[in-house]
Amino acid sequence: MTTRVPARRSNPSEQSARGKSFLEKAAYVVTPGTVVFGLLYYFGSTYRSAYYDYFGVRVSELELAPQDYVMGSTTAIFLPLLIAVVLGLLGVASFVLVDNQLSKRGLDRLRRQVSWALVAAGIGLLLLAFPVFLRPRWWQQAVSLFLASGWPRELLPPLIVAFGAILVMFGRHLRRDASRYRERVRAITDGLLIALVAMTLFFDMALYASGAGKAEAGQETNQHYMNMTGVVIHSREPISTQAYDACKDKGTGGGSYRFTCAGFRVLAKSKTRYFLLLERGKDVATLVLKDDDSIRVVVWKAS
């Protein structure tokens, strides 16, 4: 007599786990990393583009590697990202505190009033902020009385949009409606509002990265480029009419490199070219020299 052993039914979760391919499993890890790397690359390129544009150099001419852009992104996004995280934590803590206070008995009416007030305030901010992106004259005249030009004026409209969307979400979540249909509508609305907040914060951080690059270049100019590497150029011929005063002609007895040009600072170095700055009074000249055997570059350190 033979006894049949019933086959063990596998758990659906185990079946789904076995059914997933290696690529599907790797996607959970690779996709977030790819998105983060792409964001760092974008903000880093925005920062460096603004920095070198200040000196009249296109960043595409520098032949920078992707890791160079990513390394520059830390300066561009650390402060706004830190502020966004802190404000987000404060916002969540405030919502939890208000929600707990309004959950007490006898406060249902007040809860509905606060909910509608937050939704109305958020919608009002959204209706106000979206036209501001077009920068109408009345807005420029109004903010010029309170805000200085530059970052404050540029960053304010996106922040108003994000704050308005967050108020709408908080107000809707204070309304505890058990209806399944309304729950679906709220989920869809929350998704759209979260996307709106993400887009406005992305736009704001891009503006900040660009402003940070320009500010860094302006600070270098105010410090007379002391943080940049100084070089002396030995050349067979005068390197430029703009730098003629900075070059000394040693005559035929000077050897192969007849001209010696001092006072340059290295802005950047690509594979084939030098990008140099020469300060001339209140002005600065940006020179591009081909890195070949016609010049010899000597690094010097100011005392």
Side-chain angles (χ1 to χ4, degrees), residues 23-303:
L23 293 179
E24 291 175 331
K25 296 178 181 178
Y28 289 104
V29 179
V30 175
T31 301
T34 304
V35 172
V36 171
F37 182 85
L39 290 175
L40 293 177
Y41 178 85
Y42 176 79
F43 292 127
S45 63
T46 302
Y47 171 81
R48 291 195 178 275
S49 295
Y51 178 83
Y52 290 111
D53 283 344
Y54 185 91
F55 300 106
V57 176
R58 292 183 178 181
V59 71
S60 59
E61 299 177 354
L62 302 178
E63 302 175 355
L64 297 177
Q67 56 266 28
D68 295 325
Y69 293 110
V70 174
M71 292 176 61
S73 64
T74 55
T75 305
I77 67 173
F78 176 76
L79 180 60
L81 188 60
L82 177 63
I83 294 175
V85 171
V86 172
L87 292 179
L89 293 176
L90 292 177
V92 172
S94 300
F95 172 76
V96 172
L97 179 62
V98 173
D99 186 37
N100 292 335
Q101 292 295 325
L102 296 178
S103 298
K104 298 178 180 179
R105 291 184 178 181
L107 298 179
D108 293 340
R109 182 178 179 182
L110 178 60
R111 185 184 186 92
R112 288 193 298 269
Q113 292 175 349
V114 173
S115 173
W116 282 112
L118 290 177
V119 172
I123 294 176
L125 290 177
L126 291 176
L127 294 177
L128 172 66
F130 277 116
V132 166
F133 278 104
L134 302 178
R135 298 183 180 181
R137 180 177 300 178
W138 63 267
W139 167 261
Q140 296 180 1
Q141 294 175 351
V143 299
S144 62
L145 299 176
F146 305 99
L147 298 176
S149 60
W151 293 357
R153 294 188 190 181
E154 294 180 352
L155 300 182
L156 185 59
L159 290 178
I160 293 177
V161 172
F163 186 65
I166 292 174
L167 286 182
V168 174
M169 282 192 296
F170 281 5
R172 289 180 59 82
H173 277 275
L174 286 177
R175 298 177 59 189
R176 294 178 175 176
D177 196 335
S179 173
R180 180 176 298 180
Y181 172 76
R182 293 189 176 182
E183 285 293 332
R184 290 181 178 178
V185 173
R186 187 174 68 175
I188 296 174
T189 305
D190 289 345
L192 295 176
L193 291 173
I194 292 174
L196 179 61
V197 172
M199 287 188 296
T200 52
L201 292 180
F202 177 85
F203 181 74
D204 231 356
M205 293 182 69
L207 288 178
Y208 180 87
S210 178
K214 294 178 182 178
E216 180 68 19
Q219 184 177 2
E220 289 283 0
T221 302
N222 294 334
Q223 295 177 353
H224 303 284
Y225 319 105
M226 296 301 297
N227 295 325
M228 296 183 180
T229 303
V231 293
V232 176
I233 306 296
H234 298 278
S235 175
R236 301 180 187 274
E237 300 177 354
I239 58 178
S240 173
T241 55
Q242 293 178 311
Y244 185 79
D245 297 338
C247 297
K248 180 180 179 182
D249 187 359
K250 294 181 293 185
T252 56
S256 301
Y257 299 95
R258 175 175 176 176
F259 296 89
T260 301
C261 307
F264 290 95
R265 300 282 180 172
V266 179
L267 174 65
K269 171 69 170 64
S270 69
K271 297 179 180 179
T272 58
R273 289 178 293 181
Y274 283 95
F275 296 84
L276 306 175
L277 298 178
L278 177 62
E279 190 174 11
R280 304 181 56 142
K282 296 182 179 180
D283 299 327
V284 58
T286 304
L287 304 178
V288 181
L289 296 181
K290 189 175 182 180
D291 185 14
D292 54 19
D293 59 355
S294 64
I295 63 172
R296 183 164 58 91
V297 180
V298 179
V299 178
W300 61 274
K301 182 178 179 180
S303 58

